[in-house]
Amino acid sequence: MDAAYRKLLTYSYNILGSFEDAKDAVQDVMEKYIHLDKSKIDNEVHYLTRMVINHSINVKGRLKKSTQYGVWLPEPVSTETAETQLNREQLAQYTLLVLMEKLNPKERAVYILREAFNYSHEEIAAAIEISPDNARQLYGRAKKELQDYTPQDHLKHQQKLSDYIEAVVNADVKTLENLLANDIKVMADGGASVRVVADVAIGRDATLHMLQHVYALFLEGKKYTFMMINHQPAICFWQNNRLYNCQVFSFDDEGKVDSIYSIVDPEKLKLIKTT
């Protein structure tokens, strides 16, 4: 796939949190670009980048992310290999995508351009047609809103998922207690068609009960694999070679699970394939 197109998709996905919406946004821009007078365009890639970023900001502002069952979570993307339509190294971590839902679309775009793509404030200002001072203000507000977020090397904790799933399968409550942070949060997104047991569970006791309940009712006997999703360890449960449930994990500084993002919305899972 053309490198420029992949980069445009990555910009849009990081802003929108949805691969399908990002594809639509980039396609809209490409169709509009075809009919433009290009005689005064010095750099087509830079021009398209600016168009995609601004269109994605506008789309994000229009979209009301809601779900009939559970809470809205971003569409997961496999970062298992380099074989992806997005620039893997510039994809935001899944936890960051979730937290950025608290930002307005322009704050989100500024934060992504600064953090993921290393834009200067002057370059951000040129890209979204604001002043450098305004870019700094938006970035400062975004940083303040996300002050509790620290990028983690989740890969080093991937092995702990084996202990986690073994404890769940065997109903080993003691081991599970030792693996989970006291203030762990579990969020579930069933989309428009899949009812979830709970939207959000907070705290180790509530989480222990829910994890065992969900496994006994819905996951027992299903094949599972370990994957990397948006640079974070995940357990994927499969039914008839189709992804049934993707659980993305984050860990605290002590190496304990502090968040589980459980995506069961089939529309968000259809692009992830079994290996």
Side-chain angles (χ1 to χ4, degrees):
M1 179 176 292
D2 180 74
Y5 178 71
R6 283 175 40 174
K7 193 164 188 176
L8 294 175
L9 269 180
T10 308
Y11 280 118
S12 189
Y13 169 80
N14 281 338
I15 294 171
L16 295 171
S18 166
F19 182 67
E20 290 299 315
D21 289 342
K23 285 200 302 183
D24 290 343
V26 173
Q27 183 63 32
D28 289 345
V29 167
M30 298 300 289
E31 290 177 357
K32 182 177 180 181
Y33 183 74
I34 289 172
H35 302 290
L36 290 180
D37 177 7
K38 303 176 186 60
S39 61
K40 296 182 180 180
I41 298 175
D42 296 329
N43 188 311
E44 289 192 349
V45 172
H46 288 174
Y47 193 88
L48 282 167
T49 297
R50 188 165 65 249
M51 288 181 70
V52 165
I53 290 170
N54 283 286
H55 184 51
S56 298
I57 290 171
N58 291 334
V59 170
K60 187 68 176 175
R62 292 197 302 267
L63 292 175
K64 300 299 180 184
K65 291 300 184 184
S66 60
T67 180
Q68 186 172 347
Y69 299 116
V71 297
W72 189 91
L73 290 173
E75 184 177 348
V77 171
S78 172
T79 47
E80 196 76 11
T81 68
E83 296 300 318
T84 175
Q85 295 181 69
L86 299 163
N87 285 350
R88 185 180 61 165
E89 68 278 3
Q90 291 172 322
L91 279 178
Q93 286 191 351
Y94 198 82
T95 296
L96 179 57
L97 285 177
V98 173
L99 292 175
M100 284 196 300
E101 287 300 309
K102 298 187 294 185
L103 306 180
N104 69 44
K106 194 163 283 190
E107 289 170 344
R108 181 176 179 131
V110 168
Y111 187 86
I112 282 294
L113 291 174
R114 183 72 172 159
E115 295 289 323
F117 295 93
N118 201 31
Y119 273 41
S120 68
H121 290 301
E122 288 71 23
E123 289 170 325
I124 292 171
I128 62 176
E129 300 174 338
I130 59 175
S131 70
D133 282 345
N134 194 5
R136 289 186 181 89
Q137 291 169 1
L138 290 170
Y139 179 66
R141 289 207 297 265
K143 285 279 285 185
K144 185 176 181 179
E145 191 67 37
L146 302 175
Q147 60 185 331
D148 293 332
Y149 171 74
T150 303
Q152 296 280 349
D153 179 12
H154 294 290
L155 184 59
K156 67 183 180 182
H157 301 303
Q158 191 172 19
Q159 182 58 39
K160 292 185 178 180
L161 292 195
S162 296
D163 299 331
Y164 167 86
I165 194 63
E166 184 177 346
V168 171
V169 169
N170 295 320
D172 184 350
V173 176
K174 188 63 177 177
T175 298
L176 269 178
E177 284 181 342
N178 291 331
L179 290 169
L180 305 180
N182 289 329
D183 57 351
I184 183 174
K185 177 185 290 187
V186 181
M187 304 171 67
D189 180 354
S193 60
V194 180
R195 189 181 296 275
V196 296
V197 171
D199 297 359
V200 180
I202 300 176
R204 189 161 57 187
D205 290 342
T207 296
L208 283 167
H209 174 76
M210 191 184 75
L211 291 175
Q212 294 175 87
H213 184 58
V214 167
Y215 182 78
L217 281 181
F218 305 110
L219 302 177
E220 188 170 11
K222 287 183 171 59
K223 171 189 172 183
Y224 61 84
T225 58
F226 301 110
M227 297 185 71
M228 291 299 291
I229 299 292
N230 291 78
H231 308 295
Q232 294 181 211
I235 301 177
C236 293
F237 293 87
W238 306 86
Q239 185 174 51
N240 300 324
N241 292 320
R242 297 187 66 179
L243 185 52
Y244 178 82
N245 177 209
C246 177
Q247 297 180 7
V248 185
F249 292 74
S250 72
F251 298 83
D252 64 16
D253 292 336
E254 297 179 356
K256 294 194 174 187
V257 179
D258 62 8
S259 296
I260 303 174
Y261 308 102
S262 180
I263 307 101
V264 289
D265 180 356
E267 289 302 307
K268 293 181 179 177
L269 300 178
K270 60 187 178 183
L271 292 180
I272 299 177
K273 307 298 182 185
T274 186
T275 55

